[in-house]
Amino acid sequence: GAVVSQHPSRVICKSGTSVKIECRSLDFQATTMFWYRQFPKQSLMLMATSNEGSKATYEQGVEKDKFLINHASLTLSTLTVTSAHPEDSSFYICSARGGQTFRQYFGPGTRLTVT
Amino acid sequence: GENVEQHPSTLSVQEGDSAVIKCTYSDSASNYFPWYKQELGKRPQLIIDIRSNVGEKKDQRIAVTLNKTAKHFSLHITETQPEDSAVYFCAARYSGGGADGLTFGKGTHLIIQP
C-alpha cells in the first residue's frame, strides 16, 4: 500500500517554456501533498504544502508564480514550472500523506533539465 | 522554522557491525521524526519513524531513539548488511502558518564494507 507515482520521470525543455509534473497517490486518498526539490548529492528541500481544494502554502524563497501547484483531487497534484531557466534544473519529488497519519510516501521523482 | 543537523556525513562500517546516525532539531514544537533511506537516483523510502510521545522504537535491525529534552534523535542499525549501503536522511515535522512539511537533515552516506 501507499504507492505514489510521478510523471514524467525525465523531461528536457527549452529555456522559457513551461513544464507540468503530475503526482498521484494510487491506492490511498492524499489529503495533503508536498513538493520537494533535490540537487545532486544534497538533501530534500520542501517547496510547498498543498491540501486538496486549497491554495498551496509555499516555503520562504519559493516563487509561487513560478512554481504553480494545483491539488484538485484527493489523488492528484500537479507542479508547473513556468518560464523555466537552466537554474531550475533539478530533481523534483512529491510526497503524499493521507488520513490521520504523519507518514509521507514519496514518488519516484522527476529529473528536469532546462537547456 | 525548523533546522535539522545530521552527523556524520559519511559513515563506513564493517559488515555485521552496528551503525549509528545522529540528528538534532531546533524547534521544540516538532512532533514527528522519520528516517528515510535513499539509493542513488531513487525515491526516499521510509524505514522507521517516531512520534514525540515515544522515546524509542524498534523494527528488527533498525531502531530509533528520541530525547525531547536535548532535541536529538538517532538511528541505530545492527548487523549491517551490504544492502544497507545508501544515503540516510533524518527529518522533523513542523507545523505552522499553513505549512506542514518535513525539514530534512543533509544526509549520511552509509558504506558497508564487506
Side-chain angles (χ1 to χ4, degrees):
Chain A
V3 179
V4 179
S5 70
Q6 230 176 295
H7 178 80
S9 57
R10 291 177 180 272
V11 59
I12 301 173
C13 70
K14 294 190 180 228
S15 188
T17 61
S18 295
V19 172
K20 180 185 282 189
I21 302 169
E22 291 187 350
C23 177
R24 293 181 186 273
S25 57
L26 300 185
D27 54 359
F28 67 103
Q29 293 188 322
T31 50
T32 307
M33 286 185 166
F34 306 86
W35 287 94
Y36 294 84
R37 185 172 179 175
Q38 186 175 32
F39 290 105
K41 297 187 179 181
Q42 292 191 26
S43 189
L44 292 86
M45 298 293 294
L46 178 66
M47 299 175 67
T49 301
S50 124
N51 291 298
E52 185 262 340
S54 303
K55 287 187 178 180
T57 300
Y58 291 80
E59 293 299 298
Q60 192 171 10
V62 178
E63 299 174 59
K64 60 182 179 182
D65 295 330
K66 180 169 184 60
F67 298 100
L68 302 179
I69 292 171
N70 184 276
H71 190 168
S73 79
L74 285 172
T75 59
L76 173 64
S77 176
T78 60
L79 168 69
T80 302
V81 183
T82 62
S83 187
H85 292 288
E87 56 266 30
D88 298 325
S89 298
S90 189
F91 194 50
Y92 292 88
I93 313 180
C94 71
S95 71
R97 186 181 76 199
Q100 300 301 310
T101 179
F102 288 153
R103 289 180 171 173
Q104 292 184 29
Y105 297 94
F106 283 84
T110 297
R111 175 77 57 196
L112 171 64
T113 304
V114 184
T115 60
Chain B
E2 176 64 280
N3 181 48
V4 177
E5 300 283 340
Q6 183 172 346
H7 299 280
S9 56
T10 303
L11 178 60
S12 181
V13 301
Q14 288 294 124
E15 182 179 351
D17 288 350
S18 296
V20 180
I21 302 170
K22 298 182 178 182
C23 289
T24 60
Y25 61 99
S26 61
D27 191 340
S28 56
S30 290
N31 59 2
Y32 170 69
F33 307 92
W35 286 87
Y36 286 88
K37 175 184 180 182
Q38 187 178 32
E39 297 177 33
L40 189 62
K42 298 193 174 180
R43 76 183 81 196
Q45 288 188 307
L46 179 69
I47 57 171
I48 197 166
D49 56 1
I50 193 167
R51 296 184 68 158
S52 58
N53 59 349
V54 176
E56 184 173 358
K57 184 176 177 181
K58 189 173 181 180
D59 183 4
Q60 299 183 342
R61 297 188 296 111
I62 295 172
V64 56
T65 58
L66 170 66
N67 183 327
K68 279 198 306 182
T69 303
K71 289 189 283 189
H72 67 70
F73 56 113
S74 301
L75 176 71
H76 305 253
I77 305 174
T78 59
E79 301 171 19
T80 53
Q81 301 167 3
E83 53 266 35
D84 294 331
S85 295
V87 178
Y88 290 79
F89 292 99
C90 64
R93 173 189 178 261
Y94 67 94
S95 179
D100 187 15
L102 295 174
T103 300
F104 282 82
K106 291 189 183 300
T108 296
H109 186 191
L110 177 61
I111 302 165
I112 307 301
Q113 303 278 9

